[in-house]
Amino acid sequence: MTETQTAVPEAEAPAPAALSAENITVTFGGLVAVNDVSFTVPDQSIVSLIGPNGAGKTTFFNALTGLYQPDRGGRVVLNGLDVTGMSPNRIASLGLARTFQNIRLFNLMTAEENVKVAMHSHLKSGVFGTVLGLPWQRREEREAHEVALELLDFVGIGKTAYEYARNLSYGDQRRLEVARALALKPRVVLLDEPTAGMNPRESAAFVEFVHRVRDERKVSVLLIEHDMSVVMRVSERITVLDRGEKIAEGTAEEVRTNPRVVEAYLGSSAGDNHITIADEEGE
Ligand SMILES: Nc1ncnc2c1ncn2[C@@H]1O[C@H](COP(=O)(O)OP(=O)(O)O)[C@@H](O)[C@H]1O
Ligand SMILES: [Mg+2]
């Protein structure tokens, strides 16, 4: 008898790109929000997607995670598996976890409960089993509790485990969202504007945090990020969208000096779209 082949390759199998998107187009009525964009997230890399407001970044994310269907011809491949057309839950359980541009937590649950709820899509018993309280379900629940506490410690908010999510500071809510994403044991984590609303000190700490997530959880991280000092410090590779099209791709240095990128940013006058062209690291 041959071994049954599973849809998801084991972690030790030779790694294809963690995620690749081919020819993704998303249209809303007459508006082409994303126009034939292809891109790859290498295994255990940190890559960013940038571009002025309205460039199509979030729409592109939504096409990757299954929230939107790409137009005909588009394909999303996660860890070697074609996930195009699958539901967001299915795609998440296959290894693509995300946070949202606007924080989405259960405000009246504790931090620990928020993580456990995220985890329940992976547990056998689900919420009902927990209520019924059979022995193996209680054991599963206890394990979930321990994993939740471990994840909260990992993201640096272990002390807030039993506080309501809504009472956490903004930065801590962002970290809780990351803990929820990691609860799915993902291969790739997508973070949509994670430092929005953070002060410079929190943002700097976040850059370090993203590195730790990648190194210790062995995931790839794909960021949409407004803060250019964060983007330039954290990204191994940057893809730039403008009006739905990919206009540049490369290292921070290549992108920063790319005339099309400079023009895209300077051409839009909104203050929060400003790209810092000069190297401001001062090292
Ligand atoms: N659900 C939607 N329905 C119609 N138009 C949308 C929708 N979502 C986004 N758009 C439009 O698509 C374009 C890209 O938006 P978005 O992906 O949110 O950009 P970004 O995240 O880069 O700021 C914008 O013109 C926006 O108005
Ligand atoms: Mg957006």
Side-chain angles (χ1 to χ4, degrees):
M1 245 208 182
T2 56
E3 293 213 356
T4 344
Q5 216 159 359
T6 51
V8 192
E10 296 297 326
E12 59 267 26
L19 178 69
S20 71
E22 300 163 17
N23 308 106
I24 303 296
T25 297
V26 181
T27 48
F28 298 114
L31 175 80
V32 184
V34 175
N35 191 2
D36 199 24
V37 174
S38 298
F39 112 136
T40 298
V41 179
D43 198 37
Q44 291 182 46
S45 60
I46 302 175
V47 299
S48 298
L49 194 61
I50 68 169
N53 266 332
K57 304 180 296 295
T58 296
T59 304
F60 184 65
F61 253 37
N62 288 339
L64 297 178
T65 58
L67 220 51
Y68 296 154
Q69 292 302 315
D71 287 2
R72 187 184 295 270
R75 226 163 71 98
V76 180
V77 179
L78 174 62
N79 203 12
L81 183 75
D82 189 339
V83 299
T84 321
M86 289 184 188
S87 71
N89 278 340
R90 187 85 211 290
I91 294 176
S93 72
L94 288 170
L96 184 57
R98 71 171 298 172
T99 65
F100 290 89
Q101 185 164 353
N102 305 306
I103 290 176
R104 296 190 190 180
L105 294 168
F106 296 105
N107 279 323
L108 290 176
M109 287 187 185
T110 66
E112 184 258 4
E113 286 165 339
N114 266 278
V115 178
K116 280 198 306 197
V117 168
M119 225 180 289
H120 268 302
S121 66
H122 270 323
L123 299 180
K124 272 183 296 192
S125 52
V127 177
F128 285 116
T130 312
V131 173
L132 292 174
L134 301 173
W136 64 271
Q137 290 158 335
R138 282 204 298 268
R139 176 160 40 78
E140 200 174 60
E141 176 64 22
R142 197 168 56 241
E143 281 164 14
H145 169 72
E146 276 158 23
V147 174
L149 292 186
E150 190 268 327
L151 277 169
L152 291 170
D153 272 339
F154 175 75
V155 302
I157 57 170
K159 288 204 180 96
T160 69
Y162 303 109
E163 288 179 31
Y164 285 135
R166 70 166 181 197
N167 291 341
L168 303 189
S169 73
Y170 189 79
D172 285 354
Q173 290 188 13
R174 285 282 179 205
R175 283 171 187 263
L176 176 53
E177 283 206 306
V178 176
R180 281 172 55 86
L182 291 174
L184 297 173
K185 298 204 171 89
R187 182 78 186 273
V188 183
V189 182
L190 311 190
L191 306 175
D192 196 349
E193 307 223 358
T195 70
M198 287 187 186
N199 63 40
R201 203 170 45 83
E202 286 173 322
S203 293
F206 194 80
V207 169
E208 229 164 88
F209 174 60
V210 169
H211 279 116
R212 211 158 59 79
V213 169
R214 186 269 304 275
D215 295 343
E216 294 181 27
R217 297 282 147 168
K218 312 273 184 252
V219 296
S220 302
V221 181
L222 168 58
L223 291 147
I224 292 180
E225 183 53 65
H226 243 95
D227 182 336
M228 285 305 145
S229 70
V230 171
V231 169
M232 296 296 162
R233 282 185 175 87
V234 83
S235 321
E236 289 160 351
R237 227 179 147 64
I238 299 172
T239 298
V240 189
L241 296 186
D242 185 31
R243 289 173 225 172
E245 312 220 356
K246 180 159 105 177
I247 61 165
E249 193 163 62
T251 62
E253 196 49 44
E254 285 162 355
V255 160
R256 178 170 30 211
T257 52
N258 182 309
R260 285 190 75 183
V261 178
V262 174
E263 147 118 49
Y265 274 89
L266 297 182
S268 61
S269 52
D272 61 350
N273 276 338
H274 183 68
I275 187 170
T276 308
I277 306 298
D279 190 333
E280 45 158 27
E281 273 173 273
E283 280 166 5

